[in-house]
Amino acid sequence: MAEVEQHEGEQDLEKKIEETRQRFKNEFLQDSTEKYDARDLDRLQTEDSVVESYLAWRLYVVDDTLKMIDESLQWRKEFGVNDLTEGSIPRWMFETGAVYLHGYDKEGNKLFWFNVRLHVKDAKTAMDKKKYVAFWLERYAKKEPGLPLTVMFDMTDSGISNIDMDFVKYVINCFKVYYPKFLSKMIIVEMPWIMNAAWKIVKSWLGPEAISKLKFASKSEVQTFIGSEYLPPHLGGTDPFKYSYPPLPDDDFQTPISDNGPIVSEDDAESKDGELESRDALESSFSSEVAVKPKKVNFQEESVRAEDGDKGDTSVRTRGARKPVTTFKGVLLDVSPAEELSFGSGETEKRSLIILNNVTKNQVAFKVRTTAPEKYRVKPSSSCCEPGASVEIVVSLHGGCQVSPQDRFLIMAAEMENVSSQELAQFWKDVPKIKIMEHRLRCHALESNKTASSPLKNSPPDTSISGQQDLDTVLSRLSTCNLRLEQKLNMCLGHLELLQRPSCASVHYRHLHRNHS
């Protein structure tokens, strides 16, 4: 029964998407297409996820969705969003450190920092500042499509001179209109009491769909939403990160760490692939116990290599791994799953499958990186895929490690022309970054009925450090589950509102009836 309802829901969504596209074409594109960027129109017509994001944010009411799409696409052309680059933004804006992306909240959402004390209202630079915000949002949208952001307004040491209501309203509109479904929550930290009146105005701008996402927190309360490892010391955290430019801050791409060894450069790590291959084959057992020290979050290419035996017996290697049901359509590879890898707490639920499908006419080289190399084993982590062929990659949780929503995987791919697989190390050294396709996956912890019950039956409550870690994991899972339930509830309310909305004919009939009476 549930499967039938899900299928009917998917059909309804497809109809909504098609109706939205057709009506936008008929009602907004008949006179002229010059007010929109052709690239945005193409995405609207070809990417279902784009239309769905607008529909979801407008509770699946097509009339409201069309108005939102019109306003959003006009803004994108006015600001030249598709052409915003690091070089098109004044350098001094990057150097201030007033706005940047760094770290994750407890639900695994990227943090978008606004250091309010560094913002000064200036009409001459207002447009550049708005484009600067758009640059960061567009950059994130391309790197992690479909994944929301948590906006962090750090108001420590700020005052009236730092408040720019026009700029704040623009930031809110970015999430309310221009980037639908991007906002996970907006946290206002350490707000001075003198600014209460200003933020009451801000709340009125958010609208009912976003007002529940606004959170006010003191220094002591902010750790409800963000772990100490991603908070600066002045907010009670332990994050050693200090903003500097260049380069752009992006903790997803720090220098890789070699397996159980010191930090080495990308080139050095790649050049040693051959000599490490035989050693890594011995260390790549999923059940092996390797003592490792906690590492700072950064993407590291796993040192595990595909063994020759695996190539001939893929079914054995992938047996028991959770198979993906969604797919991201890339220019070089289709990647399944589209957004997240799921892991359970049971021994049979700690393996997940990534499937790469080559959609080009050439060989495609790929490699997999992760922010938590001490937790996961990946087989194969680096290889190549033949034209039209598929590669199955097994990702396994190592030992007693627990999955965290902050964990990320990065799939990197580049098209190969006249390059043999034995030359992969040199290939990755030489390939230009512009030719590398990147796709990110977050990790998701599945709910388990055994988690809450078994400890109480067999043993007294665990008050040790490990018990606290288990509690944190459960709370993190509950938060993620709550977010998913909220999204589904909004979808149901949208359908219900649509069904209850009276048709034009019935309204006209009641009007005539009253007049007649």
Side-chain angles (χ1 to χ4, degrees):
M1 183 67 181
E3 292 180 358
V4 173
E5 291 179 353
Q6 181 180 356
H7 180 66
E8 290 177 349
E10 291 174 354
Q11 287 183 326
D12 290 341
L13 178 58
E14 290 175 0
K15 291 179 181 178
K16 287 281 186 184
I17 291 174
E18 185 57 35
E19 178 187 354
T20 302
R21 283 177 173 151
Q22 193 60 43
R23 285 189 56 185
F24 187 80
K25 181 178 179 180
N26 295 338
E27 298 173 23
F28 291 86
L29 298 180
Q30 288 293 338
D31 298 332
S32 173
T33 60
E34 293 182 0
K35 59 181 180 179
Y36 309 119
D37 188 315
R39 290 166 288 186
D40 293 327
L41 292 178
D42 182 65
R43 290 178 62 236
L44 192 70
Q45 291 299 320
T46 58
E47 299 180 25
D48 289 352
S49 60
V50 174
V51 184
E52 184 184 353
S53 64
Y54 286 111
L55 280 167
W57 198 242
R58 284 295 174 257
L59 300 178
Y60 298 89
V61 179
V62 176
D63 287 340
D64 295 342
T65 301
L66 291 172
K67 294 176 184 177
M68 184 180 185
I69 293 174
D70 175 54
E71 185 177 350
S72 177
L73 297 196
Q74 286 194 59
W75 168 80
R76 289 181 64 84
K77 181 166 184 179
E78 178 189 352
F79 276 67
V81 174
N82 288 313
D83 298 312
L84 287 177
T85 63
E86 189 175 345
S88 66
I89 305 294
R91 182 184 175 92
W92 66 266
M93 286 193 175
F94 291 105
E95 293 174 342
T96 62
V99 179
Y100 56 85
L101 288 164
H102 172 70
Y104 300 94
D105 67 10
K106 287 187 174 181
E107 294 175 352
N109 302 308
K110 194 78 172 180
L111 296 176
F112 194 20
W113 290 86
F114 287 81
N115 289 321
V116 180
R117 66 183 177 83
L118 299 177
H119 180 85
V120 179
K121 185 175 181 179
D122 183 359
K124 294 180 180 178
T125 61
M127 179 57 75
D128 284 335
K129 289 175 182 175
K130 290 178 179 180
K131 287 186 176 182
Y132 182 49
V133 173
F135 164 81
W136 279 108
L137 288 173
E138 191 68 10
R139 187 171 188 262
Y140 179 75
K142 292 176 180 177
K143 285 180 176 292
E144 299 202 28
L147 301 183
L149 284 166
T150 290
V151 177
M152 187 75 169
F153 277 102
D154 182 1
M155 303 192 72
T156 305
D157 298 330
S158 63
I160 292 294
S161 62
N162 302 118
I163 293 298
D164 183 346
M165 298 305 285
D166 177 66
F167 182 73
V168 173
K169 188 173 185 178
Y170 167 78
V171 173
I172 289 173
N173 267 343
C174 282
F175 294 97
K176 186 178 177 182
V177 180
Y178 311 143
Y179 290 90
K181 289 183 68 178
F182 250 51
L183 184 63
S184 168
K185 64 185 79 67
M186 184 178 289
I187 306 174
I188 318 297
V189 187
E190 291 289 272
M191 186 183 72
W193 66 268
I194 199 171
M195 297 184 189
N196 281 337
W199 282 102
K200 285 182 179 179
I201 298 174
V202 170
K203 289 176 72 174
S204 69
W205 291 338
L206 284 170
E209 70 276 2
I211 193 68
S212 62
K213 300 178 183 294
L214 185 63
K215 314 292 182 183
F216 291 90
S218 64
K219 177 180 176 179
S220 59
E221 296 168 336
V222 70
Q223 291 197 33
T224 304
F225 310 105
I226 303 169
S228 61
E229 70 271 21
Y230 289 120
L231 286 173
H234 72 268
L235 291 179
T238 58
D239 189 357
F241 171 79
K242 291 185 178 180
Y243 181 90
S244 63
Y245 179 83
L248 290 175
D250 195 340
D251 53 3
D252 291 346
F253 298 98
Q254 295 177 17
T255 304
I257 299 176
S258 63
D259 194 29
N260 297 322
I263 294 177
V264 295
S265 71
E266 175 79 14
D267 290 346
D268 289 340
E270 294 289 356
S271 65
K272 294 179 181 179
D273 280 349
E275 62 187 67
L276 290 176
E277 189 169 2
S278 58
R279 187 193 70 184
D280 290 339
L282 297 175
E283 296 176 351
S284 63
S285 170
F286 289 157
S287 59
S288 63
E289 298 295 332
V290 181
V292 294
K293 297 180 180 179
K295 297 182 177 68
K296 183 179 176 181
V297 171
N298 51 66
F299 273 116
Q300 175 192 3
E301 182 179 354
E302 287 289 336
S303 61
V304 181
R305 294 290 181 264
E307 300 176 11
D308 293 338
D310 289 338
K311 295 179 182 179
D313 195 359
T314 304
S315 61
V316 174
R317 179 163 52 85
T318 61
R319 186 178 300 158
R322 183 174 298 277
K323 295 182 179 180
V325 295
T326 58
T327 301
F328 166 78
K329 302 290 186 180
V331 293
L332 302 180
L333 297 173
D334 287 349
V335 182
S336 301
E339 294 181 3
E340 61 184 24
L341 288 169
S342 298
F343 298 89
S345 57
E347 288 301 319
T348 60
E349 300 174 314
K350 292 190 174 184
R351 304 174 76 191
S352 197
L353 201 62
I354 299 175
I355 301 177
L356 306 179
N357 182 41
N358 185 349
V359 297
T360 74
K361 296 180 180 179
N362 294 311
Q363 274 192 333
V364 171
F366 69 86
K367 55 183 177 180
V368 183
R369 292 184 175 182
T370 177
T371 57
E374 71 278 7
K375 287 186 180 182
Y376 300 95
R377 298 293 178 264
V378 181
K379 295 181 69 177
S381 66
S382 178
S383 188
C384 57
C385 186
E386 297 296 326
S390 297
V391 173
E392 295 183 338
I393 301 170
V394 177
V395 180
S396 303
L397 269 171
H398 179 62
C401 295
Q402 297 292 325
V403 66
S404 167
Q406 287 91 353
D407 297 342
R408 292 290 195 278
F409 280 85
L410 173 67
I411 313 296
M412 301 175 69
E415 198 168 7
M416 303 172 67
E417 296 181 8
N418 302 319
V419 179
S420 67
S421 58
Q422 287 77 21
E423 299 170 345
L424 276 178
Q426 188 62 41
F427 171 78
W428 283 113
K429 289 183 187 179
D430 299 336
V431 65
K433 288 186 177 181
I434 194 172
K435 292 187 176 182
I436 298 176
M437 168 191 147
E438 294 180 348
H439 185 67
R440 290 158 185 73
L441 299 171
R442 62 164 36 170
C443 293
H444 170 60
L446 296 170
E447 298 299 314
S448 174
N449 295 329
K450 298 179 181 179
T451 304
S453 58
S454 58
L456 295 176
K457 291 181 180 179
N458 302 324
S459 61
D462 187 357
T463 57
S464 64
I465 294 176
S466 61
Q468 180 62 43
Q469 291 174 339
D470 290 341
L471 178 60
D472 290 342
T473 301
V474 172
L475 290 174
S476 178
R477 290 176 180 173
L478 288 174
S479 298
T480 304
C481 183
N482 182 62
L483 178 63
R484 292 173 176 274
L485 288 173
E486 181 183 343
Q487 291 172 343
K488 291 182 179 179
L489 179 60
N490 287 337
M491 183 184 298
C492 293
L493 290 174
H495 286 301
L496 182 61
E497 181 180 337
L498 189 63
L499 291 172
Q500 293 178 340
R501 180 173 293 186
S503 65
C504 294
S506 62
V507 173
H508 181 63
Y509 173 80
R510 287 198 297 268
H511 178 68
L512 291 175
H513 182 71
R514 283 198 299 271
N515 290 342
H516 180 71
S517 301

